[in-house]
Amino acid sequence: STGVLFAFGDNAAGQCAQIGSPSVLSPQRVSAPSWCIFVDVACGREHTVALTSEGDVWAFGSGPGTGFVGRRQLSFVPRPVSVRRCALHVASGVSHAVAL
């Protein structure tokens, strides 16, 4: 595995990390720094969280899973969240995300 993340489907809230496209019909590479090697991913209704081999959690889309708790703000590009270098697994529900 190369650790490259691909996403497709509904992208209205940026949950596929593709700018300017409300729907992604075929798998598209998620743009992230070259040193990011993704090893786990979880999706909610409007967000995606991804875990790197270094234990960092990245998120994109809308809502609590992206670190925008209580705000309706979108992130169409992956951004690190406050879990740094210690996570082992990520999971998600409709409107929440967790890291172990």
Side-chain angles (χ1 to χ4, degrees):
S1 174
T2 61
V4 176
L5 183 60
F6 290 84
F8 59 101
D10 184 11
N11 188 52
Q15 61 268 51
C16 289
Q18 302 300 314
I19 297 171
S21 180
S23 183
V24 180
L25 301 178
S26 62
Q28 299 295 314
R29 185 177 183 157
V30 172
S31 179
S34 60
W35 50 264
C36 280
I37 299 170
F38 293 110
V39 295
D40 197 14
V41 65
C43 303
R45 182 177 57 209
E46 295 185 334
H47 68 278
T48 303
V49 290
L51 175 67
T52 71
S53 60
E54 297 289 323
D56 295 333
V57 177
W58 290 68
F60 43 99
S62 172
T66 58
F68 300 126
V69 178
R71 296 183 301 229
R72 179 81 173 147
Q73 187 173 357
L74 305 179
S75 176
F76 284 88
V77 294
R79 53 187 286 156
V81 294
S82 58
V83 178
R84 302 294 301 207
R85 307 243 187 253
C86 65
L88 301 173
H89 178 69
V90 291
S92 186
V94 171
S95 60
H96 70 285
V98 294
L100 174 66

